[in-house]
Amino acid sequence: MSTAPLTTPSGLSFSSDNMAGASPRIAQAVADAALGQVLPYGNDPFTARARNKLAEVFEREVGVFPVSTGSAANGLALAALTPPWGSVLAHRDSHIHHDECGAPEFFTGGAKLVGLAGDDSKLDPDALRTAVGRRAGDVHSMQPSVMSISQATESGSVYSVAEIRELSAIAKEAGLRTHMDGARFANALVRLGVTPAEMTWKAGIDVLSFGATKNGAMTADAIVSFDPALADELAFRTKRGGQLTSKMRFQTAQLDAYLTDDLWLHNARRANAMATRLGDGLKAIPGIGLLATPQANILFCRLPAHVTEGLLAEGYAFYHDRWEEGIVRFVTAFSHTTEDIDQLLDAVRRHSV
């Protein structure tokens, strides 16, 4: 029988923001939703409130389809945007390209993901211009159909609104639809200091995978569509994909609490601030090199092997040597404190001597 601990102390966990628990207000909202009886399949007041709040957040009517995972959000959103003979143009480092076990291809019925180049895990406009026209109209080839960007990206970089507009314009001029993987949407939003509308539909995005789980929710993400023509198809695809939950109130109660009193923005600011504090501290330690200044809540750095080994021996959790030898990724969460960050920095200093 295993004697391993069931949990890792939050101050030692930097491998993913998925390791964080839930915001207390969200946990309480789920408990409150367990009382009494309401109609199933989203015909309840919790879902109505969540949909109304998302409409307020995005300054327009939107289609809202709660799902239990980001992979489902991405796969179902892309399925509504591309035919099975289409291709999805995304950065080669993107989550949909590397970390979803073919879920986008599964949900789309065979559409092909095409990985494109770009610095800092962001699509390069020139690479996109070339890709949108590659073999277009050739019946022997997959047809470019969707551009998908991650905001924030897998390396922690953030697209500016101007960059999103430029990429969306290139895609739409060629007849492609546009998708945003917003697993860390709030982290990017507070980094830019813009409105959700400015970062999405006003910049040319058709469908957003709206992430909440990494930022304080439990099991709640959502597909947010800015195109009313997609509503029926997304509704049927969500049901067919096993994501129309009977007790949807437990998901939408989370989203309702998440959006109440700017909890989602508060959580994202905390996570981003912890990454900035960690980055500033690491830069001051001789022999430690940041690959880039963190823009959201993800930080990549180069650590000597003995420092990595020392941190692991103390119980710290983080990814290392996954991208290349000596490269470490730290991900901060809304639940981290300044004390957690300072203790990690002290440990790095001790092992760097």
Side-chain angles (χ1 to χ4, degrees):
M1 183 175 180
S2 173
T3 58
L6 297 177
T7 61
T8 300
S10 61
L12 301 179
S13 304
F14 291 92
S15 59
S16 172
D17 34 13
N18 286 321
M19 294 185 72
S23 289
R25 277 190 272 167
I26 291 177
Q28 184 60 52
V30 172
D32 292 343
L35 304 175
Q37 296 184 344
V38 297
L39 291 172
Y41 299 108
N43 298 299
D44 60 81
F46 303 95
T47 301
R49 284 200 300 269
R51 286 185 169 135
N52 288 338
K53 283 183 179 176
L54 282 165
E56 291 174 6
V57 162
F58 288 101
E59 304 173 42
R60 58 173 289 173
E61 290 299 314
V62 292
V64 178
F65 305 89
V67 293
S68 58
T69 69
S71 293
N74 287 334
L76 291 167
L78 293 171
L81 293 172
T82 182
W85 55 87
S87 60
V88 178
L89 309 180
H91 195 278
R92 60 193 177 196
D93 293 339
S94 64
H95 195 82
I96 61 171
H97 196 233
H98 276 297
D99 294 293
E100 290 186 341
C101 195
E105 293 91 336
F106 171 79
F107 280 112
T108 59
K112 183 178 180 65
L113 267 66
V114 177
L116 303 181
D119 295 337
D120 299 324
S121 300
K122 296 195 288 186
L123 279 179
D124 177 74
D126 290 333
L128 182 62
R129 285 190 186 93
T130 299
V132 296
R134 186 173 291 126
R135 304 191 73 172
D138 183 349
V139 74
H140 300 284
S141 293
M142 305 295 282
Q143 296 299 290
S145 300
V146 182
M147 175 201 75
S148 178
I149 61 173
S150 302
Q151 181 74 328
T153 73
E154 292 301 293
S155 65
S157 58
V158 172
Y159 287 95
S160 69
V161 170
E163 288 173 324
I164 298 171
R165 284 179 182 153
E166 180 182 13
L167 293 169
S168 295
I170 294 168
K172 289 183 178 295
E173 186 177 353
L176 277 67
R177 306 303 299 273
T178 55
H179 167 255
M180 177 181 285
D181 178 355
R184 296 183 175 92
F185 183 82
N187 301 93
L189 191 71
V190 298
R191 168 68 185 189
L192 295 179
V194 298
T195 68
E198 289 168 336
M199 203 170 77
T200 53
W201 63 271
K202 287 185 177 181
I205 298 300
D206 293 317
V207 179
L208 165 69
S209 296
F210 181 76
T213 301
K214 296 179 186 294
N215 193 41
M218 294 181 183
T219 54
D221 290 340
I223 302 166
V224 177
S225 173
F226 306 109
D227 183 352
L230 294 174
D232 286 346
E233 181 170 353
L234 279 166
F236 282 106
R237 286 191 178 276
T238 302
K239 171 61 179 179
R240 192 167 184 265
Q243 292 294 315
L244 180 64
T245 54
S246 59
K247 295 185 179 181
M248 190 184 291
R249 67 185 184 273
F250 290 113
Q251 291 168 293
T252 51
Q254 294 177 59
L255 295 174
D256 181 21
Y258 184 65
L259 297 169
T260 297
D261 297 330
D262 289 339
L263 175 62
W264 65 305
L265 302 179
H266 169 80
N267 283 358
R269 289 190 185 101
R270 164 62 71 88
N272 287 8
M274 295 302 100
T276 298
R277 187 182 186 92
L278 179 58
D280 290 344
L282 289 172
K283 284 189 293 186
I285 302 174
I288 308 300
L290 264 63
L291 272 63
T293 300
Q295 294 183 315
N297 64 320
I298 300 175
L299 181 152
F300 282 84
C301 66
R302 192 177 297 278
L303 291 185
H306 67 276
V307 176
T308 297
E309 291 168 2
L311 293 176
L312 293 172
E314 288 191 29
Y316 281 97
F318 53 90
Y319 281 111
H320 58 96
D321 301 327
R322 186 179 183 183
W323 297 268
E324 63 178 86
E325 187 174 354
I327 299 298
V328 162
R329 186 189 79 168
F330 293 114
V331 182
T332 54
F334 72 94
S335 55
H336 281 124
T337 65
T338 55
E339 290 78 12
D340 295 332
I341 303 303
D342 292 345
Q343 287 173 11
L344 172 57
L345 289 169
D346 287 343
V348 174
R349 292 188 193 97
R350 282 190 281 103
H351 294 293
S352 296
V353 176

